Amino acid sequence: MSSVQMHRDRIDSVMQTAGGQWGDRVGREVANRARANCPVDEGRLRSSITHLVTATPTGVIMRVGSPLAYARWRHEGTGLYGPHHALIVPVSAKALKFRQPKMQGPLPAGVRNLPTSRRPFVFAKSVRGTPGSPYLTQALEEVFGPGITRHPTT
């Protein structure tokens, strides 16, 4: 008579390892596609996109994103195009002050775009905001197919 002995802890360990490896491979692919889809001005946002995989006894959690504060705004949009659908207005001053988003016209020889710190200032009573560029959602759909459920973080 033969017998089978189950080592549940070993099976769980192997499953966690396999799930972690799968999550790392897929996370890398999603992060690479997100970098390719990401809008680029100076490249900080694109270079900050990373992935993190956590294998737990109940499953694998894969996170892809950027730690930069403006990453969410760039993804979802701001002002009229963002979640509040309202103009951006100054709160504690008479006007908004910001650097010109991109230089237009002739640039110095050999320069494709001036760094943000060298661009002139712009003043405005209100701005419309910018449309979002859902580069992360697009990357998820490219890897997993359409209809992916998004779980926003707070």
Side-chain angles (χ1 to χ4, degrees), residues 5-148:
Q5 188 176 14
M6 299 280 297
H7 294 281
R8 185 70 186 171
D9 57 333
R10 289 184 186 172
I11 293 171
D12 288 344
S13 174
V14 169
M15 293 301 287
Q16 271 187 286
T17 302
Q21 290 170 346
W22 174 86
D24 188 51
R25 181 179 53 79
V26 172
R28 222 175 312 118
E29 185 176 349
V30 172
N32 287 338
R33 289 182 189 241
R35 284 186 209 103
N37 298 337
C38 181
V40 179
D41 185 8
E42 293 181 352
R44 280 186 61 214
L45 177 58
R46 179 177 56 191
S47 65
S48 72
I49 296 172
T50 59
H51 74 284
L52 174 69
V53 177
T54 307
T56 67
T58 58
V60 175
I61 300 169
M62 178 188 67
R63 293 186 176 148
V64 178
S66 168
L68 297 178
Y70 68 89
R72 186 173 187 172
W73 304 329
R74 191 67 188 109
H75 189 269
E76 296 178 4
T78 61
L80 292 175
Y81 310 101
H84 300 293
H85 305 291
L87 289 173
I88 299 171
V89 295
V91 175
S92 61
K94 292 181 180 181
L96 299 166
K97 176 184 174 184
F98 53 92
R99 297 274 184 178
Q100 187 172 8
K102 281 195 176 185
M103 291 297 296
Q104 298 175 353
L107 294 175
V111 176
R112 292 179 62 191
N113 200 5
L114 286 178
T116 305
S117 61
R118 294 192 50 212
R119 296 177 191 169
F121 284 104
V122 177
F123 298 90
K125 294 231 180 228
S126 67
V127 293
R128 296 178 62 127
T130 58
S133 177
Y135 55 93
L136 290 169
T137 304
Q138 186 180 353
L140 280 171
E141 288 178 350
E142 288 175 7
V143 173
F144 290 105
I148 278 292

